[in-house]
Amino acid sequence: MGIRLEHVNYIYSPDNAFRKQALRDVNLEIQDGEFIGLIGHTGSGKSTLIQHLNGLLRATSGQIYYNEQNIYDDKYRMIDLRSQVGLVFQYPEHQLFEMTVLKDVCYGPKNLGLDDDAAVERAKEALAMVGMTEKDYSKSPFELSGGQKRRVAIAGVLAMHPQVIVLDEPTAGLDPKGRNDILNQISALHRQTGITIILVSHSMEDVAKYVDRIIVMNRGEVFMDDTPKEIFRQSEALERVGLAAPQVTYVMRQLHKIFPELPEDVTTVEEA
Ligand code: ADP
């Protein structure tokens, strides 16, 4: 069981001058329990792709199956898909709005129709999964560090008990320690729960250490789909699509520390 995409194409603004084909004939199979890194240059189609996985965007053509059911079938309940495939957007902490951490994480389960006690139970369980403790429950989300806020936002999605969780650039804007903490936490989550995790990143280094499989996107197409080891063997092909192997990223980061005028990351240049 899992997610299957067959010949998925997606075109933004198909009928005017801003027409942009963002996905081209994407074929993918994601099995339950996989830990996948989805990487690619800025503009390669990663965000567009993940928004198809929980039905936020509808393919211009092609089919998507979730647990063997066609999500575009008239009888399919999109609402089920939304609760089973949790999407954590970039900078999810911008969506924290309740007075306390605990209330914030309860918001999703309450929306699912759970009563207060059940929602609190789910929220506590989800907060523990991301390493937040009881003393954080009554804090305002605004008192927390960047990394903690992000963990609370992830807990908000986990509290919905999704089978799949998709995290869009979960390390964006965090310092090196924050990045490591969050990635370790996500990795622990995968080990403990066995849920499917799709980690979106433009950085090889972020995904390299953690995932079992890497999908590389380029100009809306699946360019590579293999184990990290196999992907990194093909460093020339990676460089062709604007991605540096982890060693290169590491060297760039060290150089940036000494010469701040140099870019920290060679993969963040906008695609023309
Ligand atoms: P990534 O997540 O890899 O950076 P996106 O999926 O955001 O890539 O973008 C893929 C392509 O679609 C890019 O060329 C981008 O400019 C374009 N695009 C993204 N969102 C829109 C939109 N709302 N309208 C038009 N084009 C878009």
PDB file of all heavy atoms in Angstrom, residues 28 36-40 45-47 49-50 53 166 198-202 207 211 213-217:
ATOM      1  N   LEU A  28       5.633   7.594 -10.177  1.00  0.00           N
ATOM      2  CA  LEU A  28       6.307   7.298  -8.911  1.00  0.00           C
ATOM      3  C   LEU A  28       5.495   6.305  -8.111  1.00  0.00           C
ATOM      4  O   LEU A  28       4.270   6.305  -8.171  1.00  0.00           O
ATOM      5  CB  LEU A  28       6.371   8.554  -8.044  1.00  0.00           C
ATOM      6  CG  LEU A  28       7.467   9.584  -8.230  1.00  0.00           C
ATOM      7  CD1 LEU A  28       7.249  10.698  -7.220  1.00  0.00           C
ATOM      8  CD2 LEU A  28       8.845   8.954  -8.043  1.00  0.00           C
ATOM      9  N   ILE A  36      11.870   9.055   2.375  1.00  0.00           N
ATOM     10  CA  ILE A  36      12.308   9.518   1.053  1.00  0.00           C
ATOM     11  C   ILE A  36      12.780  10.964   1.110  1.00  0.00           C
ATOM     12  O   ILE A  36      12.164  11.804   1.760  1.00  0.00           O
ATOM     13  CB  ILE A  36      11.130   9.398   0.052  1.00  0.00           C
ATOM     14  CG1 ILE A  36      10.774   7.921  -0.127  1.00  0.00           C
ATOM     15  CG2 ILE A  36      11.478  10.034  -1.291  1.00  0.00           C
ATOM     16  CD1 ILE A  36       9.630   7.679  -1.070  1.00  0.00           C
ATOM     17  N   GLY A  37      13.853  11.249   0.415  1.00  0.00           N
ATOM     18  CA  GLY A  37      14.286  12.638   0.227  1.00  0.00           C
ATOM     19  C   GLY A  37      13.874  13.060  -1.168  1.00  0.00           C
ATOM     20  O   GLY A  37      14.163  12.358  -2.141  1.00  0.00           O
ATOM     21  N   LEU A  38      13.165  14.183  -1.253  1.00  0.00           N
ATOM     22  CA  LEU A  38      12.772  14.710  -2.568  1.00  0.00           C
ATOM     23  C   LEU A  38      13.617  15.957  -2.780  1.00  0.00           C
ATOM     24  O   LEU A  38      13.453  16.944  -2.056  1.00  0.00           O
ATOM     25  CB  LEU A  38      11.283  15.044  -2.548  1.00  0.00           C
ATOM     26  CG  LEU A  38      10.681  15.656  -3.812  1.00  0.00           C
ATOM     27  CD1 LEU A  38      10.779  14.694  -4.979  1.00  0.00           C
ATOM     28  CD2 LEU A  38       9.212  16.021  -3.579  1.00  0.00           C
ATOM     29  N   ILE A  39      14.553  15.870  -3.712  1.00  0.00           N
ATOM     30  CA  ILE A  39      15.430  17.017  -3.858  1.00  0.00           C
ATOM     31  C   ILE A  39      15.415  17.539  -5.287  1.00  0.00           C
ATOM     32  O   ILE A  39      14.953  16.872  -6.213  1.00  0.00           O
ATOM     33  CB  ILE A  39      16.879  16.725  -3.396  1.00  0.00           C
ATOM     34  CG1 ILE A  39      17.560  15.764  -4.329  1.00  0.00           C
ATOM     35  CG2 ILE A  39      16.936  16.205  -1.988  1.00  0.00           C
ATOM     36  CD1 ILE A  39      19.045  15.757  -4.067  1.00  0.00           C
ATOM     37  N   GLY A  40      15.916  18.741  -5.435  1.00  0.00           N
ATOM     38  CA  GLY A  40      15.956  19.369  -6.753  1.00  0.00           C
ATOM     39  C   GLY A  40      16.201  20.846  -6.563  1.00  0.00           C
ATOM     40  O   GLY A  40      15.934  21.412  -5.502  1.00  0.00           O
ATOM     41  N   GLY A  45      10.029  21.725  -9.286  1.00  0.00           N
ATOM     42  CA  GLY A  45       8.696  21.119  -9.218  1.00  0.00           C
ATOM     43  C   GLY A  45       8.390  20.389  -7.921  1.00  0.00           C
ATOM     44  O   GLY A  45       7.336  19.746  -7.804  1.00  0.00           O
ATOM     45  N   LYS A  46       9.265  20.499  -6.920  1.00  0.00           N
ATOM     46  CA  LYS A  46       9.064  19.754  -5.674  1.00  0.00           C
ATOM     47  C   LYS A  46       7.765  20.156  -4.964  1.00  0.00           C
ATOM     48  O   LYS A  46       6.972  19.299  -4.588  1.00  0.00           O
ATOM     49  CB  LYS A  46      10.248  19.966  -4.712  1.00  0.00           C
ATOM     50  CG  LYS A  46      11.588  19.616  -5.320  1.00  0.00           C
ATOM     51  CD  LYS A  46      12.738  19.868  -4.360  1.00  0.00           C
ATOM     52  CE  LYS A  46      12.942  21.295  -3.891  1.00  0.00           C
ATOM     53  NZ  LYS A  46      13.350  22.258  -4.925  1.00  0.00           N
ATOM     54  N   SER A  47       7.571  21.464  -4.781  1.00  0.00           N
ATOM     55  CA  SER A  47       6.367  21.908  -4.059  1.00  0.00           C
ATOM     56  C   SER A  47       5.105  21.545  -4.835  1.00  0.00           C
ATOM     57  O   SER A  47       4.101  21.135  -4.236  1.00  0.00           O
ATOM     58  CB  SER A  47       6.367  23.425  -3.849  1.00  0.00           C
ATOM     59  OG  SER A  47       7.490  23.780  -3.137  1.00  0.00           O
ATOM     60  N   LEU A  49       4.729  19.042  -6.807  1.00  0.00           N
ATOM     61  CA  LEU A  49       4.525  17.600  -6.670  1.00  0.00           C
ATOM     62  C   LEU A  49       3.887  17.242  -5.324  1.00  0.00           C
ATOM     63  O   LEU A  49       2.884  16.516  -5.282  1.00  0.00           O
ATOM     64  CB  LEU A  49       5.865  16.867  -6.836  1.00  0.00           C
ATOM     65  CG  LEU A  49       5.828  15.361  -6.625  1.00  0.00           C
ATOM     66  CD1 LEU A  49       4.912  14.696  -7.642  1.00  0.00           C
ATOM     67  CD2 LEU A  49       7.225  14.761  -6.725  1.00  0.00           C
ATOM     68  N   ILE A  50       4.423  17.784  -4.237  1.00  0.00           N
ATOM     69  CA  ILE A  50       3.891  17.365  -2.932  1.00  0.00           C
ATOM     70  C   ILE A  50       2.457  17.849  -2.720  1.00  0.00           C
ATOM     71  O   ILE A  50       1.688  17.198  -2.031  1.00  0.00           O
ATOM     72  CB  ILE A  50       4.795  17.779  -1.748  1.00  0.00           C
ATOM     73  CG1 ILE A  50       4.968  19.281  -1.690  1.00  0.00           C
ATOM     74  CG2 ILE A  50       6.124  17.043  -1.811  1.00  0.00           C
ATOM     75  CD1 ILE A  50       5.682  19.756  -0.433  1.00  0.00           C
ATOM     76  N   LEU A  53       0.064  15.271  -3.610  1.00  0.00           N
ATOM     77  CA  LEU A  53      -0.038  14.055  -2.796  1.00  0.00           C
ATOM     78  C   LEU A  53      -1.194  14.107  -1.811  1.00  0.00           C
ATOM     79  O   LEU A  53      -1.684  13.071  -1.379  1.00  0.00           O
ATOM     80  CB  LEU A  53       1.283  13.787  -2.045  1.00  0.00           C
ATOM     81  CG  LEU A  53       2.519  13.659  -2.928  1.00  0.00           C
ATOM     82  CD1 LEU A  53       3.747  13.340  -2.089  1.00  0.00           C
ATOM     83  CD2 LEU A  53       2.334  12.589  -4.002  1.00  0.00           C
ATOM     84  N   VAL A 166       4.670  14.799   4.862  1.00  0.00           N
ATOM     85  CA  VAL A 166       5.536  15.427   3.873  1.00  0.00           C
ATOM     86  C   VAL A 166       6.025  16.733   4.483  1.00  0.00           C
ATOM     87  O   VAL A 166       5.219  17.563   4.903  1.00  0.00           O
ATOM     88  CB  VAL A 166       4.753  15.749   2.573  1.00  0.00           C
ATOM     89  CG1 VAL A 166       5.700  16.287   1.510  1.00  0.00           C
ATOM     90  CG2 VAL A 166       3.995  14.531   2.059  1.00  0.00           C
ATOM     91  N   ILE A 198       8.334  11.961   3.700  1.00  0.00           N
ATOM     92  CA  ILE A 198       8.909  12.543   2.491  1.00  0.00           C
ATOM     93  C   ILE A 198       9.501  13.889   2.890  1.00  0.00           C
ATOM     94  O   ILE A 198       8.786  14.781   3.357  1.00  0.00           O
ATOM     95  CB  ILE A 198       7.848  12.707   1.386  1.00  0.00           C
ATOM     96  CG1 ILE A 198       7.226  11.343   1.070  1.00  0.00           C
ATOM     97  CG2 ILE A 198       8.476  13.331   0.125  1.00  0.00           C
ATOM     98  CD1 ILE A 198       6.054  11.389   0.121  1.00  0.00           C
ATOM     99  N   LEU A 199      10.806  13.967   2.744  1.00  0.00           N
ATOM    100  CA  LEU A 199      11.534  15.152   3.191  1.00  0.00           C
ATOM    101  C   LEU A 199      11.953  15.936   1.955  1.00  0.00           C
ATOM    102  O   LEU A 199      12.740  15.441   1.148  1.00  0.00           O
ATOM    103  CB  LEU A 199      12.764  14.636   3.944  1.00  0.00           C
ATOM    104  CG  LEU A 199      13.634  15.582   4.694  1.00  0.00           C
ATOM    105  CD1 LEU A 199      12.858  16.192   5.844  1.00  0.00           C
ATOM    106  CD2 LEU A 199      14.834  14.819   5.265  1.00  0.00           C
ATOM    107  N   VAL A 200      11.415  17.135   1.815  1.00  0.00           N
ATOM    108  CA  VAL A 200      11.735  17.935   0.638  1.00  0.00           C
ATOM    109  C   VAL A 200      12.890  18.865   0.980  1.00  0.00           C
ATOM    110  O   VAL A 200      12.872  19.525   2.010  1.00  0.00           O
ATOM    111  CB  VAL A 200      10.517  18.792   0.216  1.00  0.00           C
ATOM    112  CG1 VAL A 200      10.844  19.612  -1.021  1.00  0.00           C
ATOM    113  CG2 VAL A 200       9.316  17.907  -0.018  1.00  0.00           C
ATOM    114  N   SER A 201      13.879  18.913   0.092  1.00  0.00           N
ATOM    115  CA  SER A 201      15.025  19.764   0.367  1.00  0.00           C
ATOM    116  C   SER A 201      15.722  20.136  -0.931  1.00  0.00           C
ATOM    117  O   SER A 201      15.617  19.418  -1.920  1.00  0.00           O
ATOM    118  CB  SER A 201      15.993  19.001   1.272  1.00  0.00           C
ATOM    119  OG  SER A 201      17.136  19.779   1.508  1.00  0.00           O
ATOM    120  N   HIS A 202      16.409  21.271  -0.916  1.00  0.00           N
ATOM    121  CA  HIS A 202      17.253  21.536  -2.087  1.00  0.00           C
ATOM    122  C   HIS A 202      18.693  21.203  -1.732  1.00  0.00           C
ATOM    123  O   HIS A 202      19.593  21.400  -2.519  1.00  0.00           O
ATOM    124  CB  HIS A 202      17.103  22.985  -2.552  1.00  0.00           C
ATOM    125  CG  HIS A 202      17.587  23.959  -1.533  1.00  0.00           C
ATOM    126  ND1 HIS A 202      16.755  24.528  -0.613  1.00  0.00           N
ATOM    127  CD2 HIS A 202      18.825  24.396  -1.258  1.00  0.00           C
ATOM    128  CE1 HIS A 202      17.466  25.302   0.175  1.00  0.00           C
ATOM    129  NE2 HIS A 202      18.731  25.242  -0.186  1.00  0.00           N
ATOM    130  N   VAL A 207      19.585  15.631   3.226  1.00  0.00           N
ATOM    131  CA  VAL A 207      18.891  14.351   3.085  1.00  0.00           C
ATOM    132  C   VAL A 207      19.846  13.162   3.140  1.00  0.00           C
ATOM    133  O   VAL A 207      19.468  12.076   3.567  1.00  0.00           O
ATOM    134  CB  VAL A 207      18.043  14.275   1.792  1.00  0.00           C
ATOM    135  CG1 VAL A 207      16.923  15.288   1.826  1.00  0.00           C
ATOM    136  CG2 VAL A 207      18.882  14.428   0.565  1.00  0.00           C
ATOM    137  N   VAL A 211      17.878   9.522   4.689  1.00  0.00           N
ATOM    138  CA  VAL A 211      16.821   8.822   3.951  1.00  0.00           C
ATOM    139  C   VAL A 211      17.305   7.505   3.327  1.00  0.00           C
ATOM    140  O   VAL A 211      18.497   7.256   3.208  1.00  0.00           O
ATOM    141  CB  VAL A 211      16.214   9.743   2.865  1.00  0.00           C
ATOM    142  CG1 VAL A 211      15.720  11.032   3.476  1.00  0.00           C
ATOM    143  CG2 VAL A 211      17.226  10.036   1.760  1.00  0.00           C
ATOM    144  N   ARG A 213      15.902   6.559   0.312  1.00  0.00           N
ATOM    145  CA  ARG A 213      15.712   6.688  -1.139  1.00  0.00           C
ATOM    146  C   ARG A 213      15.661   8.166  -1.476  1.00  0.00           C
ATOM    147  O   ARG A 213      15.111   8.954  -0.708  1.00  0.00           O
ATOM    148  CB  ARG A 213      14.375   6.029  -1.483  1.00  0.00           C
ATOM    149  CG  ARG A 213      13.890   6.239  -2.890  1.00  0.00           C
ATOM    150  CD  ARG A 213      12.539   5.538  -3.047  1.00  0.00           C
ATOM    151  NE  ARG A 213      11.881   5.883  -4.286  1.00  0.00           N
ATOM    152  CZ  ARG A 213      10.606   5.632  -4.556  1.00  0.00           C
ATOM    153  NH1 ARG A 213       9.856   5.015  -3.655  1.00  0.00           N
ATOM    154  NH2 ARG A 213      10.084   5.991  -5.704  1.00  0.00           N
ATOM    155  N   ILE A 214      16.263   8.524  -2.610  1.00  0.00           N
ATOM    156  CA  ILE A 214      16.256   9.928  -3.025  1.00  0.00           C
ATOM    157  C   ILE A 214      15.600  10.044  -4.401  1.00  0.00           C
ATOM    158  O   ILE A 214      15.934   9.292  -5.328  1.00  0.00           O
ATOM    159  CB  ILE A 214      17.695  10.499  -3.077  1.00  0.00           C
ATOM    160  CG1 ILE A 214      18.283  10.579  -1.663  1.00  0.00           C
ATOM    161  CG2 ILE A 214      17.721  11.877  -3.725  1.00  0.00           C
ATOM    162  CD1 ILE A 214      19.707  11.127  -1.601  1.00  0.00           C
ATOM    163  N   ILE A 215      14.673  10.970  -4.495  1.00  0.00           N
ATOM    164  CA  ILE A 215      14.063  11.282  -5.793  1.00  0.00           C
ATOM    165  C   ILE A 215      14.582  12.661  -6.178  1.00  0.00           C
ATOM    166  O   ILE A 215      14.435  13.614  -5.417  1.00  0.00           O
ATOM    167  CB  ILE A 215      12.525  11.286  -5.689  1.00  0.00           C
ATOM    168  CG1 ILE A 215      12.018   9.885  -5.324  1.00  0.00           C
ATOM    169  CG2 ILE A 215      11.901  11.778  -7.000  1.00  0.00           C
ATOM    170  CD1 ILE A 215      10.558   9.827  -4.925  1.00  0.00           C
ATOM    171  N   VAL A 216      15.235  12.750  -7.322  1.00  0.00           N
ATOM    172  CA  VAL A 216      15.766  14.036  -7.781  1.00  0.00           C
ATOM    173  C   VAL A 216      14.859  14.571  -8.879  1.00  0.00           C
ATOM    174  O   VAL A 216      14.613  13.896  -9.881  1.00  0.00           O
ATOM    175  CB  VAL A 216      17.200  13.894  -8.360  1.00  0.00           C
ATOM    176  CG1 VAL A 216      17.748  15.257  -8.776  1.00  0.00           C
ATOM    177  CG2 VAL A 216      18.138  13.245  -7.356  1.00  0.00           C
ATOM    178  N   MET A 217      14.358  15.784  -8.672  1.00  0.00           N
ATOM    179  CA  MET A 217      13.512  16.432  -9.690  1.00  0.00           C
ATOM    180  C   MET A 217      14.354  17.413 -10.497  1.00  0.00           C
ATOM    181  O   MET A 217      15.245  18.062  -9.962  1.00  0.00           O
ATOM    182  CB  MET A 217      12.395  17.240  -9.023  1.00  0.00           C
ATOM    183  CG  MET A 217      11.416  16.460  -8.192  1.00  0.00           C
ATOM    184  SD  MET A 217      10.335  15.434  -9.153  1.00  0.00           S
ATOM    185  CE  MET A 217       9.439  16.672 -10.110  1.00  0.00           C
TER     186      MET A 217
END
